[in-house]
Amino acid sequence: MNEFRIISPANEDIELLNTIPQNLQHYRLPCSHSLMASGSFGNMLFHHFKGDGFDIWYSNYLMKQSSKFMGCSVNAVLELHIPFVNDFETSWEGLKNNSFKSQQFEISYTPYVHTMAAFRGGEEYHTFDIHFTKELLQPYAAYCPKLSLFLEKVEKRKPANMLDMVQFLGLDMIRLINDMLNYKYREELAGLYCKNLVNELLVLLTSQVALITDEPAFSLAEQHQAIEVKKIILSDFELYHTVEQLARMAGTSECKLQMTFKHLFGTTVSKFSRKARLEEGYRLLTDTNYPLRVICEMVGYPDPANFSVAFRKQYGYWPGYIQKKIKR
C-alpha cells in the first residue's frame, strides 16, 4: 500500500492498523485485506482485493474535521478511479487538478505517486479504484481510440488521463460495482467472479468512451444542469417527469439537456429514467412484500400492465416470476 501522510492543523502522522472495530465492519469489500487509520480527523478504512491482472481498492473516509491527505509511492499506478459516494478535490503530480463528482470516472497513469486529496469535515466519502496491468487493458484498446492513445503514453511512462473530461458511470456500471461490494459466495471463487465483473465493467466503460470523438462545448453550467436532472430522477421514483418538465426544472432547453446528459452519462434522459425506475422496481420485488400494484405506483408506473411490459423487455421475464419463483 502507498505510504500516506496527513496534512492537518494538528500535523498528525497516520498509523495503519490491521484490525477494524466491530462498529465499522459494515464498510467492507468481501474477501479483502483491510487496514484502518484513525486520528482527530476521523477514520479511514482501506480494503484491498488482489485479482489476476487487477487490484481493487475500496476506501472509506469518515471525516470528523476537514483534512488533506498526501499519498506517496515510487511505484507506477494505472487505475480506474471512482468517487462512489460524495464529491471531493484531488490532485496528482503531473496531471491536472480535479474536482471529482460522485460516480464520475477516469482512468489515469502516473509513473510514481505524489497525490493529495481534500475532504470536508462531518461527511463520508467512499472511493472505488481498480489498478490494472497494461496487459489486461490492451485487448480493449482496439475498440476504443482514446484508450489506445492513453496506453501509448503509458508505454512511454508519461503521466496521463484517458479522458481529461467529465464522464459518469451508467446504471449498469454501478450495478456491477455493487455486485463486487456485496459478494456473498465461496471465497475461493471470488477472484473468478470479480475478474468477470471487471471485464464486463471495462466493456461498458470503453463502449461509452468510444462514442466520444471530440469534447463537445458544454459549459460547466450545462453540465451541472444535467447532473441536477439525474438527481431529480433518482430522488423520487414515484414522481414521473417528462424530459420537457425536467429541462424546465433545470433551467435549460430540452435539446441542450439531452445532448449534455448523453455526453455525461452515455444515454438519453428517457432511457436513464426508465432503467432507473425499473431497477428500483426489481429491488422492491425482491426485497419487499409489497403488492405489484403498489410497487408500480412507487416507481412511477400507474398502470401495472405498462410496468410489466417494460420490465419483461429489460429483464426477459414478467414481474410475477420473481414473486412466484425467486421469493418462494
Side-chain angles (χ1 to χ4, degrees), residues 226-251:
I227 293 169
E228 182 60 30
V229 164
K230 178 189 174 186
K231 290 179 180 177
I232 292 171
I233 292 170
L234 298 178
S235 64
D236 189 345
F237 291 111
E238 192 168 349
L239 289 176
Y240 172 76
H241 302 288
T242 66
V243 179
E244 181 183 2
Q245 290 170 332
L246 289 166
R248 190 162 54 247
M249 293 165 73

Side-chain angles (χ1 to χ4, degrees), residues 280-290 295 322 327:
E280 177 64 7
Y282 185 97
R283 186 191 70 80
L284 291 170
L285 284 165
T286 55
D287 295 347
T288 74
N289 291 315
Y290 295 132
I295 290 175
I322 296 177
K327 295 175 66 175

Side-chain angles (χ1 to χ4, degrees), residues 157-219:
R157 294 181 58 81
K158 292 183 177 180
N161 289 326
M162 181 178 72
L163 292 173
D164 230 3
M165 65 178 70
V166 178
Q167 285 285 284
F168 289 90
L169 299 174
L171 292 170
D172 286 339
M173 304 177 205
I174 295 170
R175 174 184 54 79
L176 291 172
I177 293 172
N178 280 324
D179 285 346
M180 285 184 256
L181 292 175
N182 294 293
Y183 179 76
K184 56 182 181 294
Y185 308 106
R186 292 166 54 183
E187 185 170 348
E188 59 268 29
L189 294 176
L192 291 171
Y193 179 87
C194 287
K195 187 167 186 177
N196 285 335
L197 294 187
V198 165
N199 277 297
E200 188 175 348
L201 181 61
L202 284 170
V203 168
L204 297 177
L205 286 173
T206 52
S207 295
Q208 178 169 321
V209 171
L211 296 175
I212 304 170
T213 50
D214 297 313
E215 184 173 7
F218 298 127
S219 68

